[in-house]
């Protein structure tokens, strides 16, 4: 888990609060093959509380051109998408409006990302204040949050092509 941005003087960032990214890899329900996932979420610690952080996350999704509500956007089909994932040296670098983070990822994650050529990125609008940087997140807690219907229904979902320094 990697902390990226903390509330700053800008209005949107101060409402968004702390943005965190967490990686995992696991079997995708559609084909049973491993998929690399990155989930970005706010802690809900923005100046306007949880509701303000949620609204700000939805604004970030809109500015990035990401649909909210379950439709999965293939950003490879979107000219000049601002959402990018670079995978290099055991790290994933996720770039999108208001977010640029290098996140350590396990080998299973790297293998899944390279095998598929894409990463499934989720921008959750619902805050997850319990999953703070520096504190371990159990697999059960991650599963409970990442599989929660309300979280998924109010999140932006996209497949992002894997980039590398040599591509």
């Amino acid at each position: 888990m990697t902390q990226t941005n903390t509330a700053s003087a800008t209005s949107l960032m101060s409402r968004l609060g702390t943005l965190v990214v967490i990686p995992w890899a696991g079997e995708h329900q559609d084909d049973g093959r491993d998929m690399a996932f990155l989930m970005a979420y706010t802690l809900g610690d923005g100046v306007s509380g949880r509701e303000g952080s949620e609204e700000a996350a939805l604004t970030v999704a809109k500015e990035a051109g990401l649909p909210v509500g379950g439709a999965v956007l293939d950003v490879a089909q979107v000219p000049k998408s601002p959402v990018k994932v670079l995978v290099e040296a055991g790290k994933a670098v996720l770039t999108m409006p208001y977010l640029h983070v290098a996140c350590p990822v396990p080998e299973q994650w790297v293998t899944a990302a390279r095998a598929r050529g894409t990463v499934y990125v989720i921008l959750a609008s619902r805050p997850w204040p319990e999953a703070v940087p520096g504190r371990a997140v159990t697999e059960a807690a991650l599963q409970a949050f990442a599989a929660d219907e309300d979280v998924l229904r109010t999140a932006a979902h996209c497949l992002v092509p894997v980039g590398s320094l040599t591509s």
Side-chain angles (χ1 to χ4, degrees):
M1 181 165 42
T2 304
Q3 177 179 345
T4 59
N5 292 315
T6 303
S8 70
T10 63
S11 177
L12 181 64
M13 291 306 296
S14 64
R15 287 184 294 126
L16 190 59
T18 306
L19 263 177
V20 182
V21 174
I22 189 167
W24 76 94
E27 186 177 299
H28 193 274
Q29 64 186 8
D30 289 346
D31 62 12
R33 295 174 37 225
D34 271 358
M35 172 73 80
F37 294 88
L38 285 176
M39 178 181 278
Y41 60 91
T42 175
L43 296 179
D45 59 353
V47 296
S48 301
R50 288 178 60 105
E51 285 183 10
S53 291
E54 188 167 345
E55 289 172 13
L58 291 170
T59 300
V60 169
K62 182 178 179 181
E63 288 187 20
L66 303 176
V68 173
V72 180
L73 176 69
D74 182 352
V75 301
Q77 306 303 315
V78 178
K80 299 183 182 179
S81 172
V83 183
K84 310 270 187 231
V85 173
L86 175 73
V87 178
E88 203 68 46
K91 292 188 179 178
V93 179
L94 175 62
T95 303
M96 61 191 311
Y98 306 99
L99 179 65
H100 181 81
V101 61
C103 178
V105 291
E107 188 57 38
Q108 177 191 8
W109 191 98
V110 173
T111 300
R114 294 220 187 277
R116 287 189 179 266
T118 60
V119 174
Y120 193 120
V121 176
I122 303 166
L123 174 59
S125 65
R126 185 168 136 201
W128 192 14
E130 300 81 15
V132 298
R135 201 179 301 161
V137 174
T138 67
E139 188 174 333
L142 174 60
Q143 218 169 21
F145 186 78
D148 182 283
E149 286 300 318
D150 287 335
V151 171
L152 295 173
R153 186 177 41 74
T154 60
H157 302 258
C158 59
L159 291 174
V160 183
V162 172
S164 71
L165 293 176
T166 58
S167 63

